[in-house]
Amino acid sequence: MDSKWFTIDRVDRDSYIISEYRHWEETHCYLLNGSKGSLLIDTGLGIRDIYQEVVKLTDKPVTAAATHIHWDHVGGHKYFPDFCAHEEELHWLAGEFPLSAETVRAMVVDRCQLPEHYDVSGYEIFQGKPSRVLRDRDVIDLGGRRIEVLHTPGHSPGHMCFWEEERGWLFTGDLVYKDTLLAYYPSTDPEAYLSSLERIALLPVRKVFPAHHSLDIEPEIIIRMRDQFRKLKEEGKLRHGSGTFRYEDWAVWL
């Protein structure tokens, strides 16, 4: 049971997906290699050492950049001293994360095939000081690959998508994926969610890389999500407490 926590998929010769399918959230992390350095978008839950997988796939210095500072996206940051974070979520990294450690530990073990002998009582919410603070439109230059930061709040105040214009690749974090989008708890903003969808819907996206669940996802889902969020707003339902709305292959919990 303990032999294979991560699943590795190769996108092309310079890009990899590192997934944690044995947890119910099925978190995906993305390693992008350039000629000068590598970028790891999200580091997963931190249940197992993702660094040991990354060093098999690159010999360049690695910078970690979370789409947002939620426990399932920064758990492996403890293995990467060089990491980035958005300015809107620095306080979460400094001990002000809105969920308690007990609540997070309960989610770690929920519907999860944990590695044998794993002691969840030792699970901690990552805290630290980033080596770089990211803002909207910043560019991460990997050498031959330029990754643009797009501030896309809604799921969280400092949520970011990462846009590689040359390839038409969009790494959407928790803004877009197939399953139930979460916009119901106090740190979410349904109106901002719509604004973020409006923004990325204008991009010439050729490939969507989500942070959770199915990797079989096409760019057209962005338009469908935007249109349904627009409809919810027109109906006065784009607000906390209005319920869960289900569509063809996704849903949103408000």
Side-chain angles (χ1 to χ4, degrees), residues 31-226:
L31 179 66
L32 311 181
N33 296 330
S35 62
K36 297 189 302 185
S38 297
L39 178 67
L40 182 61
I41 300 174
D42 291 336
T43 60
L45 292 96
I47 289 174
R48 280 291 179 258
D49 185 351
I50 193 172
Y51 175 81
Q52 298 303 322
E53 302 300 323
V54 169
V55 294
K56 299 173 186 175
L57 306 173
T58 182
D59 59 359
K60 303 295 189 299
V62 179
T63 299
T67 53
H68 58 298
I69 308 302
H70 282 172
W71 62 280
D72 51 320
H73 297 263
V74 299
H77 271 45
K78 58 190 174 184
Y79 305 113
F80 299 92
D82 182 11
F83 74 91
C84 308
H86 192 273
E87 58 183 342
E88 292 290 333
E89 293 178 0
L90 297 182
H91 61 297
W92 286 359
L93 287 167
E96 298 179 31
F97 190 70
L99 296 179
S100 69
E102 291 74 19
T103 299
V104 169
R105 287 174 190 140
M107 290 189 288
V108 168
V109 299
D110 184 32
R111 291 175 288 161
C112 179
Q113 188 184 8
L114 286 172
E116 191 174 0
H117 306 306
Y118 181 76
D119 182 6
V120 75
S121 67
Y123 190 90
E124 299 291 342
I125 301 171
F126 175 78
Q127 295 178 11
K129 185 176 181 179
S131 52
R132 178 178 176 183
V133 175
L134 295 177
R135 297 172 177 84
D136 189 47
R137 296 294 185 183
D138 280 353
V139 172
I140 302 171
D141 187 352
L142 302 176
R145 300 186 77 168
R146 291 169 57 85
I147 313 299
E148 184 177 1
V149 174
L150 303 179
H151 182 211
T152 50
H155 177 72
S156 73
H159 189 283
M160 297 177 287
C161 290
F162 293 93
W163 169 237
E164 188 171 9
E165 183 177 12
E166 184 177 356
R167 286 174 165 86
W169 289 3
L170 184 66
F171 301 87
T172 57
D174 281 12
L175 185 72
V176 172
Y177 57 80
K178 287 184 176 180
D179 206 280
T180 303
L181 306 176
L182 303 181
Y184 69 92
Y185 39 87
S187 59
T188 65
D189 184 335
E191 291 275 354
Y193 213 121
L194 171 57
S195 296
S196 294
L197 289 172
E198 295 277 12
R199 182 182 188 186
I200 66 169
L202 298 175
L203 298 173
V205 178
R206 293 195 289 271
K207 181 65 178 174
V208 172
F209 294 92
H212 296 290
H213 306 306
S214 177
L215 292 167
D216 181 16
I217 185 169
E218 296 297 328
E220 56 81 27
I221 197 172
I222 298 172
I223 306 302
R224 289 194 284 118
M225 287 181 173
R226 179 204 62 189

